[in-house]
Amino acid sequence: MIGASQFGLVSSPQFGMPAPPSQISDAELRTIETIEPQKKPTAEEMKAIWLADHPVISPAEAFASGAELGPPSGDGLADNQTKNIHTEIKVNGKVIARIYNSGAVEIADEYRFLADKVDFAGDKMVGPDLAEDRAGRIKAVLQSFGAVMNDEQDPVGTLNARITKAPIIELLKANTALTQEAWLKEKGKEGPLDPGSFLSRMA
């Protein structure tokens, strides 16, 4: 009887199949032992990577960028929904920041310098009172960098701003803006309240 081995028909490992341990050399075993699983980046590392790809630009560059914040993207119980808007802040007719009834803020990525100038983390208020306060502070920072408030009672100032091409800002309170009393009454049913959060968002 002729054996299969005489014709070279001895079974061999198929392509892509691991070799049995008896056929792996000591050097290969040592190499396998030293391979470590890929580590997932920490939150700080991910933040550093994002910041490297999205550097903070100067206020002048932000004003010239024509940046605009997209529509609210929240759903469910999220603050950032159209029905919760308190105030929108425009620069040259484009929404660059949005503040919700809770006091939470969204800012176009190009205007991230505002987060460095306004100490959102130090806020102690909640609700529409916080929304009003934050809108005022954002407005003040924009004005400190040369933006001019679109003021119907000062048409000459607005006209001069257009002539000199200074950025023109508007604070528009939404129809959905609540009073502090109405907001507290609504939110009191949901449990404890925290100071409004800061929502960073790309334009």
Side-chain angles (χ1 to χ4, degrees):
M1 185 171 181
I2 299 173
S5 60
Q6 288 178 291
F7 290 94
L9 300 177
V10 176
S11 73
S12 59
Q14 293 184 7
F15 180 73
M17 296 292 291
S22 60
Q23 293 180 13
I24 299 175
S25 69
D26 289 344
E28 288 173 317
L29 281 173
R30 282 195 296 275
T31 303
I32 291 169
E33 287 172 2
T34 58
I35 295 174
E36 293 182 7
Q38 291 259 342
K39 290 183 180 177
K40 290 185 178 179
T42 64
E44 285 300 314
E45 289 169 337
M46 290 174 68
K47 181 179 177 182
I49 291 167
W50 190 89
L51 288 172
D53 289 340
H54 303 85
V56 177
I57 62 177
S58 71
E61 291 171 316
F63 289 142
S65 71
E68 187 167 19
L69 188 62
S73 59
D75 55 19
L77 298 176
D79 283 330
N80 56 330
Q81 298 183 60
T82 303
K83 66 180 182 179
N84 297 328
I85 297 173
H86 185 280
T87 301
E88 290 187 322
I89 299 174
K90 291 187 175 184
V91 171
N92 296 331
K94 297 192 174 181
V95 177
I96 61 95
R98 188 176 292 119
I99 308 170
Y100 297 91
N101 283 312
S102 66
V105 175
E106 281 184 308
I107 294 177
D109 188 47
E110 288 81 354
Y111 285 82
R112 254 185 19 256
F113 71 87
L114 289 169
D116 296 330
K117 301 295 179 183
V118 181
D119 181 20
F120 294 115
D123 289 332
K124 305 297 182 199
M125 293 186 285
V126 293
D129 283 354
L130 177 59
E132 295 271 2
D133 182 68
R134 285 181 166 179
R137 284 151 59 206
I138 290 171
K139 175 185 121 176
V141 170
L142 293 171
Q143 287 177 310
S144 74
F145 287 108
V148 175
M149 190 68 188
N150 185 9
D151 188 349
E152 292 178 1
Q153 296 182 11
D154 182 19
V156 175
T158 304
L159 179 60
N160 285 338
R162 294 188 194 284
I163 292 169
T164 60
K165 297 191 176 175
I168 297 174
I169 56 178
E170 299 171 85
L171 268 65
L172 305 171
K173 188 178 275 192
N175 292 334
T176 49
L178 297 176
T179 64
Q180 186 74 2
E181 184 181 1
W183 184 81
L184 285 170
K185 190 173 182 180
E186 186 178 299
K187 288 292 175 183
K189 303 168 188 173
E190 298 175 13
L193 302 172
D194 295 320
S197 58
F198 171 72
L199 304 172
S200 179
R201 173 173 174 168
M202 294 181 62

